[in-house]
Amino acid sequence: MLSAPDSPPNSWASARSEARIEFARSARPTLGVEWELALVDAQTRDLSNEASAVLSELGENPRVHKELLRNTVELVTGICDTTGEAIEDLRQTLATTRPIVHSRGMELFGAGTHPFAQWSAQKLTDAPRYAELIKRTQWWGRQMLIWGVHVHVGISSSYKVMPIISSLLQHYPHLLALSASSPWWDGHDTGYASNRAMMFQQLPTAGLPFQFQTWGEFEGFVYDQKKTGIIDHTNEIRWDIRPSPHLGTIEVRVCDGVSNLRELGALVALTHCLIVDLDRRLEADESLPTMPPWHVQENKWRAARYGLDAEIILDADSNERLVTDDLDDLLNRLEPIAARLHCADELAAVADIYRTGASYQRQRRVAEEHDGDLRAVVDALVAELDIS
């Protein structure tokens, strides 16, 4: 009688163990904000590749980071509890950074793209991860002449993360339409409110997130990505909304670059309220609403193309509505959440954006008033930083 062969190793269990991703839970819904700003020459208004000099003069400052291109500095907050605290944190960092920028003949500029700068003239920051990104992505990677805002919100448990992200996608077009600030590319009006949104999704692992419902599904996805050599680390997943496991947050990366602290505060407050609202609904054992991926994808395109004039898809039943009309109701619904999060004034300021005009609309207005002179657009955006 033949003896049975030795049992094979439990490869599934081994793979499952390797796939585990620890989530650094946040006991409260904290905030963190990353604000990318470009450096422009004070005379020509073209981009300036002098970030390394600015950072060198600042010294070891954890609130100011380098980015992919040498024309960019990123201002970051510490861990904050309220929108007001986060904005004040950024205001102080701005007050430290701007004098150095000015002393070197430059200005700070906030938008999703620069109106006329050429991507081929920009220099890369010297760092291995950036070099590897460009080596892999080639022409598309070199084209990433874009700036955005990232908002982190603390989450208490990993089981909440993917349901919140999947449901938050219903409000993707609201955030993008409000922040849209990138109508220009290489001196041309693209016809889009946010050309940045269209550009950034060309990178591998960028764009809309998959609509996973469990943390285990996300862990399996990351395992597959690493095994096949697509990524080496979870931070190389460049989704528009993504988990940040090591921080214990959901990171919302939807918004275009922002020119001033008042609008930034409004967008941060809206993001904070949306995520906390979904979190509390989960705590109450409510099933969070989602939409089919094809509706989410269409909404992203509509918001990028038409901005605040977008007719967005509201739900899985394919109902539609003008995004600004939906924002009116959304802001009213979130008022109690804003009161609890101490950001009622900042949330109310969201309505000012669509009543007076978003950045892409203001930029086009300035260009029209100055016979198409895009340097005047840069002037206007630089000046907006002073109204913070």
Side-chain angles (χ1 to χ4, degrees), residues 55 82 92 124 148 178 217:
L55 292 169
T82 67
Q92 292 178 17
L124 295 172
L178 286 164
E217 288 179 295

Side-chain angles (χ1 to χ4, degrees), residues 13 89 105 161 208 264 277 294 305 343 372:
D89 191 325
V161 173
L208 292 167
L264 182 59
D277 176 56
W294 47 92
R305 171 66 176 87
C343 63

